[in-house]
């Protein structure tokens, strides 16, 4: 397996995959999950969501260690969201299976409350700047300190400027990277957490869920950093709003905690500086763009792109990945050719830190489906570039449409693929203006903490 790992490190996932398939035929049963895990990594580096999902499922099935089995199955659930053929029933069933991996989990005994303030504990795989951080930052920096005591619990020892900002603003910050999940849960319980808000969901192998399973807090909530049901009985509520939640509540293990808007976007300093310094290029012909993770690019999406380019003479499209991997760049070029799109009308770029400059070149972002952009959609609007979205039926596939709705740009929401192609073909480049509901972080914080306070008043000191 060391040779396969070396191939992966060198950016040669196809060679790694070929090596791993040979190893799998000879692997001891106790080592099979390790091979499947690496196969999943290889498929990720090839932007093959279906292959990755199957590999993670196989890893979970062959692993005998419960902690890592849960992590593999979290990766599997996350990968399922990339697949267009996966519906609400399949996702809900996968979430139920995940919950069954906790059938023997025992919740921690509760402790009496020791503070008059409501203690809200946020737990995340890390508190590094990220797409998710752009939506939850203000929850940890702008709360009412007279009424609430806020702690942050990181599963990683890594830090950046965002981490330092969180450290400065919360009442207490904890690095739990050197202790076990159970010890972390005990520490949260002993710190007197009334509400545990887990921001990870099934990202990063679902590590935050493995801690929430111990029920260290009286009320436990998921959302913002994750976009779908966790499936875990230990999570009481999922933060959402009426647009996202409509018609899908029966597929969630959690009760819905519904607020006016389930998030608010806040650009970081780098984004603010880039916007101020970004020169706008006037394109002679329309330039479309897609700056989403290449794993989100499906055959149906590329078919729509082909029809749009055919309908708009001399137009082109820029694709940029969220990773710098040459292997994924090569794979997308092959998919584009297979879809019948002229490569002369396409620019395929690897992920890079200076991607903000792309917004100066693009007239309209063509959002992916069914897995839409989140922070990338909000960021494009912030830079003044409109985004065309195909509204899905599931909670996670409505995220892009919800961002446009909050921005007051419903005209850019398509109801089906034909409508998506027509709206793109009829588009005329223009400056957009969006409402401040998308970036109204003060209202978001006020509404959510108001709900927390309501919990307290309704249930009393015991939060029963």
């Amino acid at each position: 397996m060391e040779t396969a790992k070396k191939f992966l490190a060198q950016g040669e996932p196809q060679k790694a995959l070929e090596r791993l398939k040979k190893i799998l035929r000879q692997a001891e049963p106790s080592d099979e999950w390790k091979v499947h895990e690496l196969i999943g990594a290889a498929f990720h580096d090839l932007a093959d969501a279906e292959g990755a999902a199957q590999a993670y499922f196989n890893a979970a099935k062959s692993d005998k260690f419960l902690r890592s089995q849960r992590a593999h199955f979290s990766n599997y659930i996350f990968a399922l969201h990339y697949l267009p053929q996966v519906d609400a029933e399949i996702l809900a069933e996968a979430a139920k299976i995940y919950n069954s991996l906790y059938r023997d989990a025992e919740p921690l005994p509760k402790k009496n409350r020791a503070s008059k303030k409501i203690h809200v504990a946020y737990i995340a795989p890390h508190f590094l700047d990220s797409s998710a951080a752009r939506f939850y930052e203000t929850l940890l920096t702008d709360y009412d300190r007279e009424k609430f005591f806020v702690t942050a619990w990181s599963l990683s020892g890594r830090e950046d400027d965002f981490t330092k900002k969180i450290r400065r603003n919360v009442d207490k910050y904890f690095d739990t990277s050197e202790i076990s999940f159970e010890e972390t849960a005990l520490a949260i319980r002993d710190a007197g957490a009334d509400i545990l808000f887990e921001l990870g969901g099934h990202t990063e192998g679902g590590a935050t869920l493995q801690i929430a399973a111990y029920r260290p807090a009286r009320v436990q909530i998921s959302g913002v950093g994750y976009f779908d049901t966790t499936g875990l009985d230990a999570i009481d509520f999922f933060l959402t709003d009426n647009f996202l939640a409509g018609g899908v509540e029966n597929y969630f293990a959690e009760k819905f905690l519904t607020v006016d808007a389930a998030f608010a976007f806040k650009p970081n300093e780098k984004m603010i500086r880039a916007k101020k310094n970004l020169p706008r290029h006037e394109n002679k012909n329309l330039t479309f763009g897609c700056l989403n993770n290449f794993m989100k690019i499906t055959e149906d999406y590329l078919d729509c792109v082909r029809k749009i380019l055919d309908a708009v003479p001399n137009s082109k499209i820029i694709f940029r990945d969220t990773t710098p991997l040459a292997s994924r760049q090569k794979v997308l070029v092959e998919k584009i050719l297979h879809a019948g799109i002229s490569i002369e009308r396409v620019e395929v770029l690897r992920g890079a830190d200076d991607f903000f400059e792309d917004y100066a070149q693009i007239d309209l972002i063509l959002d992916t489906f069914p897995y839409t952009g989140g922070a990338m959609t909000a960021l494009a609007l912030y830079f003044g570039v409109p985004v065309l979205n195909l509204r899905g039926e599931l909670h996670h596939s409505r995220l892009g449409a919800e961002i446009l709705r909050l921005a007051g740009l419903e005209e850019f929401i398509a109801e089906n693929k034909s409508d998506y192609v027509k709206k793109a073909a009829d588009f005329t480049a223009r400056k957009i203006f969006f409402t401040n509901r998308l970036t109204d972080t003060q209202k978001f914080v006020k509404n959510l903490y108001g709900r927390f306070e309501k919990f307290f008043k309704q249930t009393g000191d015991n939060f029963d």
Side-chain angles (χ1 to χ4, degrees):
M1 282 193 285
E2 293 306 314
T3 301
K5 290 178 182 178
K6 185 177 179 182
F7 283 139
L8 285 172
Q10 292 173 343
E12 298 179 285
Q14 189 60 52
K15 288 184 179 180
L17 190 58
E18 292 167 4
R19 176 72 177 170
L20 289 164
K21 287 179 178 179
K22 291 179 182 178
I23 294 172
L24 189 60
R25 291 194 288 267
Q26 305 166 5
E28 295 292 329
S30 59
D31 289 333
E32 280 186 21
W33 69 267
K34 299 176 185 177
V35 183
H36 287 303
E37 189 175 53
L38 287 173
I39 288 174
F43 277 124
H44 169 273
D45 290 359
L46 291 166
D48 185 335
E50 191 166 357
Q54 185 63 59
Y56 296 138
F57 179 84
N58 291 340
K61 188 176 179 181
S62 57
D63 199 345
K64 304 303 179 186
F65 299 99
L66 193 55
R67 171 176 165 168
S68 49
Q69 189 179 36
R70 292 167 178 167
H72 303 316
F73 209 83
S74 272
N75 290 334
Y76 165 67
I77 288 175
F78 191 93
L80 285 179
H81 290 84
Y82 292 111
L83 307 182
Q85 68 270 31
V86 171
D87 58 19
E89 286 82 5
I90 292 173
L91 290 170
E93 185 60 31
K96 287 179 183 178
I97 295 172
Y98 177 77
N99 186 58
S100 73
L101 299 177
Y102 293 87
R103 54 189 172 273
D104 297 327
E106 291 290 336
L108 296 172
K110 293 180 181 179
K111 280 197 168 185
N112 294 329
R113 297 191 71 250
S115 172
K116 291 184 179 180
K117 294 183 181 181
I118 301 173
H119 180 173
V120 184
Y122 291 93
I123 187 168
H126 55 71
F127 284 100
L128 302 171
D129 205 354
S130 63
S131 296
R134 296 300 95 232
F135 293 111
Y136 69 65
E137 176 185 331
T138 51
L139 294 177
L140 290 95
T141 59
D142 298 345
Y143 57 93
D144 185 340
R145 295 166 194 277
E146 295 298 317
K147 295 180 179 179
F148 296 93
F149 183 85
V150 169
T151 55
W153 302 77
S154 175
L155 275 59
S156 170
R158 294 178 294 158
E159 294 196 6
D160 61 7
D161 288 342
F162 179 72
T163 318
K164 294 172 185 175
K165 183 175 184 179
I166 297 302
R167 274 187 179 275
R168 289 194 304 268
N169 281 275
V170 295
D171 293 292
K172 285 190 178 180
Y173 183 95
F174 299 90
D175 172 1
T176 68
S177 59
E178 299 296 325
I179 61 176
S180 69
F181 290 161
E182 184 176 10
E183 288 172 316
T184 300
L186 281 165
I188 294 170
R189 193 277 309 268
D190 292 346
D194 296 308
I195 297 170
L196 178 67
F197 200 128
E198 76 84 21
L199 297 165
H202 288 290
T203 65
E204 307 277 346
T208 54
L209 297 178
Q210 297 211 43
I211 293 164
Y214 287 99
R215 277 202 164 274
R218 294 168 174 82
V219 175
Q220 304 199 145
I221 303 171
S222 183
V224 186
Y226 189 62
F227 43 71
D228 207 343
T229 182
T230 66
L232 196 61
D233 286 343
I235 303 297
D236 304 299
F237 296 96
F238 189 90
L239 181 65
T240 187
D241 58 48
N242 288 325
F243 180 85
L244 288 168
V248 299
E249 55 272 18
N250 291 336
Y251 299 108
F252 273 65
E254 308 86 353
K255 295 177 183 177
F256 279 161
L257 174 60
T258 306
V259 291
D260 181 58
F263 50 79
F265 178 75
K266 182 176 181 178
N268 61 25
E269 290 300 322
K270 186 177 179 181
M271 295 168 183
I272 294 169
R273 289 195 302 270
K275 182 180 180 180
K276 289 179 180 178
N277 299 323
L278 192 69
R280 179 65 191 169
H281 297 282
E282 297 298 329
N283 297 317
K284 183 178 179 181
N285 300 303
L286 274 180
T287 297
F288 300 104
C290 175
L291 308 184
N292 284 350
N293 182 342
F294 283 1
M295 295 272 277
K296 297 182 179 181
I297 297 176
T298 64
E299 289 184 8
D300 281 351
Y301 173 79
L302 287 176
D303 184 58
C304 286
V305 169
R306 178 184 57 78
K307 290 176 181 177
I308 291 166
L309 294 179
D310 287 347
V312 184
N314 301 316
S315 61
K316 72 171 191 175
I317 184 168
I318 297 171
F319 290 97
R320 187 184 288 278
D321 199 4
T322 52
T323 80
L325 296 172
S327 57
R328 288 162 59 115
Q329 183 184 36
K330 180 181 177 182
V331 165
L332 184 58
V333 169
E334 291 171 355
K335 288 181 179 179
I336 287 167
L337 292 172
H338 182 73
I341 299 171
S342 172
I343 200 64
E344 286 76 21
R345 301 178 68 182
V346 177
E347 196 172 351
V348 181
L349 306 172
R350 303 181 204 176
D353 290 339
D354 61 353
F355 76 94
F356 295 148
E357 296 178 6
D358 294 344
Y359 293 117
Q361 312 287 338
I362 296 170
D363 298 302
L364 176 67
I365 295 285
L366 300 178
D367 197 6
T368 49
F369 57 83
Y371 193 161
T372 69
M376 282 300 190
T377 297
L379 186 59
L381 300 182
Y382 175 71
F383 276 96
V385 180
V387 179
L388 179 63
N389 170 269
L390 174 55
R391 183 183 69 84
E393 295 302 318
L394 307 183
H395 193 281
H396 76 278
S397 63
R398 290 178 185 160
L399 180 58
E402 169 65 340
I403 291 171
L404 288 166
R405 186 185 74 86
L406 291 177
L409 296 169
E410 290 95 335
E411 65 192 280
F412 290 99
I413 301 174
E415 296 300 317
N416 53 54
K417 287 182 281 189
S418 296
D419 188 32
Y420 184 88
V421 172
K422 186 177 186 303
K423 284 181 180 292
D426 293 345
F427 175 75
T428 302
R430 62 187 184 278
K431 191 173 183 179
I432 61 164
F433 299 92
F434 63 87
T435 65
N436 70 350
R437 286 187 69 196
L438 177 60
T439 55
D440 192 348
T441 56
Q442 286 188 334
K443 185 176 181 181
F444 172 52
V445 172
K446 182 179 179 180
N447 285 346
L448 183 55
Y449 277 89
R451 293 303 300 274
F452 292 166
E453 193 172 10
K454 190 175 180 181
F455 274 143
F456 186 83
K457 289 179 179 178
Q458 287 177 340
T459 59
D461 285 352
N462 290 323
F463 269 78
D464 291 328

